Amino acid sequence: MILRHVTIDCADPHRLASFWSEVTGWPLADGDVPGDPEVLVVAPEPQPGMLFIRVPEGKQVKNRIHFDWMPTERSRDEEVERILALGATLHEDHRKPDGLGWVTLLDPESNEFCVERSAAERNA
C-alpha cells in the first residue's frame, strides 16, 4: 500500500491549504479555488499530499495525530519564526537552553504541529 493523502477536516479548505502550501512550498492542485469543498496540497513524490475537506463541525479537542516537521533549509528557530509570520500560533515551546527540543505550533484552524531541529542542528 501507498499512503496517498493525509486528510484534514476543516472549515475553510482553500484558506488552510494555502497556509500549508506556504509552509511546505508545495503547490495547490491545479483548479483548486476558494469555496471548493476539497483542496489538495500536492507533495513531491513519494510523500503523501495534504487533502483539506470542509466539514460542518469545528475542532473540539487536541489532535489525535499531528505532523512533526524537520526543516531542510533553515534552523528550527528560523523555521518557527517564518511559520509564525505566515499565520501560525505558538502553542508550546519545548526548546531547551542546550539547543535540544521542539516547538508546537497551531495552524490557522488550531491543528497542532511540531517543528524539530534540522538535520544540520542534529549533526552539530
Side-chain angles (χ1 to χ4, degrees), residues 3-9 16-17 19-21 23-24 26 41 43 47-52 62-71 83 102-107 110-116:
L3 181 59
R4 184 166 174 232
H5 299 131
V6 174
T7 302
I8 298 134
D9 294 347
L16 199 54
F19 168 81
W20 281 105
S21 176
V23 168
T24 62
W26 305 340
V41 176
Q47 298 177 90
M50 300 171 73
L51 181 61
F52 296 86
K62 182 181 185 307
N63 296 3
R64 298 287 303 262
I65 186 171
H66 70 264
F67 298 118
D68 288 339
W69 295 97
M70 184 174 70
I83 296 171
W102 68 95
V103 178
T104 305
L105 302 173
L106 302 176
D107 74 12
S110 297
N111 298 299
E112 299 91 2
F113 64 99
C114 295
V115 179
E116 302 176 346

Side-chain angles (χ1 to χ4, degrees), residues 74-94:
R74 287 173 276 282
S75 71
R76 174 200 55 211
D77 295 347
E78 291 167 335
E79 193 66 22
V80 166
E81 291 306 314
R82 184 184 77 82
I83 296 171
L84 288 170
L86 293 173
T89 304
L90 178 63
H91 181 61
E92 296 174 339
D93 193 333
H94 298 279

Side-chain angles (χ1 to χ4, degrees), residues 11-67:
D12 187 339
H14 192 270
R15 177 176 166 253
L16 199 54
S18 294
F19 168 81
W20 281 105
S21 176
E22 288 187 67
V23 168
T24 62
W26 305 340
L28 298 183
D30 288 340
D32 285 353
V33 297
D36 283 351
E38 298 180 5
V39 177
L40 176 64
V41 176
V42 181
E45 293 287 338
Q47 298 177 90
M50 300 171 73
L51 181 61
F52 296 86
I53 296 181
R54 180 177 296 118
V55 297
E57 62 276 356
K59 182 176 181 277
Q60 305 265 332
V61 297
K62 182 181 185 307
N63 296 3
R64 298 287 303 262
I65 186 171
H66 70 264
F67 298 118

